[in-house]
Amino acid sequence: MPEDRRTLSQLLAQVKDVLVDQLPDRYWIVAEILELHENRNGHCYLELIEKHPENDSILARAKANIWASRYSMLRPFFESSTNTRLKSGIKILCKVSVEFHPQYGFSLNITDIDPAYTLGDLARKKQEVISRLRNEGVFDMNREIPFPEVPQRLAVISSETAAGYGDFLETLNNNSHGFLFSTTLFPAVMQGEGAPGSITAALDQIHESESDFDCVAIIRGGGSKADLESFNHYDLAYYISQFPLPVITGIGHERDESVADMVAAKALKTPTSVGEYLVDKLLSFEFRLSGLHDRMAAMVKGRVQGHVSRLERYQTDLVHISRGMLQKQSDNLLQKVQLLTRGIDILLSRRGDHLTLLAKRTELVDPKNILKRGYSLTLMDGKALTSVRDIKRGKLLETRLSQGTIVSKVEHVKTDDKRED
């Protein structure tokens, strides 16, 4: 049997002694937090990793802890300095001591954390996300979508129980102008590691019925400034930048601007500000309509006044023209009446002369006048005779003279050819 035989605990105790001898000091290391858990005693247990800079493969992994007495001081200082929580996915520069316990194995005891490094790393990551979006040509895409003139049909992404959501609805529904809005809530987790995926899933739901909405409002309101980091996530920012509807953000940060704010069509600080902005959009549209109405009314009034003025001028001109035309027609009519009167007088005069002539001729041919001139009129059976052909011997003839009548009986008839009847 070998003389250097030992138990496991003895070997591990030797390992501990070697580590203490070889690594007696505290060391500043850079690592990413893979997991973080707090127990009810206030201790914090972490799993730290180092990733390959090119393919994100894990190069190293170690357990770490921060004891409650130290953690109660480190956490608030870190979060107030960086505006983000200690959580998985962030890089830290921490001061550690190497520990080895035969029962629990190798671990690192964290005694200090430099927030400046994490702050720089978060800023670097944020800038990397911004640069990536710009290089992909999608950074300004959502802002280039024309914003609707009357945004009344709203898809809202928020937590249903969030105070900011209630403030948003209060601002819309009780606006002093009486504008009406239709809001549809798509619930989502608005903070923590699950926020980017939850918000993206809500956007997917809205995308399925995008024609039902005018724009999307992502509102959060309240909470820790540390929660803003969720809105710097590349996937969420990318999805917002390419969303087919204008996106408005109001995630409750007065000073800080997230990448989601940068790529959204409109970024506002609070949910109330989002509500006020939408009310102002409708009010602005109403003002424009009112201005157009006033301009149109003025134009119509001007046109009508112009037409009235022209009609008045036309009326005056028409009166003058009508009077002139009537006077001219009157003069023409008078002239024609005069001509007609003169023509009638001449015609009547001529007719009178003609009638006089006819009367004279009639008088000349009047049998009475003819008889007076020595002529006589012979009648047989009441009819004037013009020929002897029809006179028979023994017939009674009536000869009318100027003064008196002779009745005679035919004894014989003599014709022009000397024959006697």
Side-chain angles (χ1 to χ4, degrees), residues 24 51 56 202 215 277 305 308 314 335 396 401 412:
K51 291 182 179 179
D56 284 344
C215 62
Y277 173 78
Q305 187 61 45
V308 168
Y314 294 158
Q335 184 179 9
L396 294 178
L401 303 173
H412 65 270

Side-chain angles (χ1 to χ4, degrees), residues 316-388:
T316 303
D317 294 342
L318 183 60
V319 169
H320 292 315
I321 293 171
S322 299
R323 286 177 179 174
M325 291 180 67
L326 289 174
Q327 186 62 46
K328 184 177 180 180
Q329 294 298 325
S330 178
D331 294 341
N332 291 337
L333 184 59
L334 180 59
Q335 184 179 9
K336 289 179 179 179
V337 168
Q338 292 173 347
L339 292 173
L340 181 60
T341 302
R342 188 180 300 116
I344 291 174
D345 290 343
I346 293 171
L347 180 61
L348 290 175
S349 178
R350 289 177 179 175
R351 293 297 182 187
D353 294 342
H354 183 66
L355 288 174
T356 300
L357 179 61
L358 290 177
K360 289 181 179 181
R361 288 179 178 178
T362 302
E363 185 179 355
L364 291 174
V365 297
D366 188 344
K368 291 180 180 182
N369 293 328
I370 295 173
L371 293 176
K372 287 179 180 181
R373 291 198 299 272
Y375 294 95
S376 64
L377 177 63
T378 302
L379 295 92
M380 187 180 67
D381 296 331
K383 295 181 180 180
L385 294 175
T386 58
S387 173
V388 296

Side-chain angles (χ1 to χ4, degrees), residues 206 252 266 342 356 393 405 410:
I206 297 171
K266 185 68 178 179
R342 188 180 300 116
T356 300
R393 186 179 297 171
T405 303
V410 178

Side-chain angles (χ1 to χ4, degrees), residues 264-298:
K266 185 68 178 179
L268 298 160
K269 297 302 181 183
T270 65
T272 300
S273 299
V274 174
E276 291 172 347
Y277 173 78
L278 293 170
V279 172
D280 288 344
K281 287 290 289 183
L282 267 63
L283 183 61
S284 176
F285 181 74
E286 185 179 63
F287 283 159
R288 288 198 296 275
L289 281 182
S290 178
L292 290 173
H293 174 271
D294 293 343
R295 287 175 57 191
M296 183 174 293

